[in-house]
Amino acid sequence: PAEEELAILLSAYERFLGQFHDDPQAAAELIQIGESKTNERQNRAELAACMSIGNVLLNLDEFVVVE
């Protein structure tokens, strides 16, 4: 990512992380999605925030369209 894009992603990660720290139930529900088991030692808020950033990246036009 360009420097500006990285700053936006980092800001979004921090925002997601704060939201999931404030609402641990939402984090627990999000990380249960999918077939893979989660590591119980991993911080649920951090994992949920990373999943949210992954969702942002997968929804970018650059992910789908190659120019």
Side-chain angles (χ1 to χ4, degrees), residues 31 38-44 46-47:
I31 65 173
T38 58
N39 184 338
E40 293 300 319
R41 295 181 296 167
Q42 191 167 13
N43 183 301
R44 290 180 177 186
E46 290 177 2
L47 180 56

Side-chain angles (χ1 to χ4, degrees), residues 6-19 49 52-53 56:
L6 183 57
I8 292 169
L9 287 172
L10 289 173
S11 175
Y13 173 79
E14 293 295 330
R15 188 175 63 250
F16 287 134
L17 186 59
Q19 290 171 347
S52 298
I53 290 297
V56 168

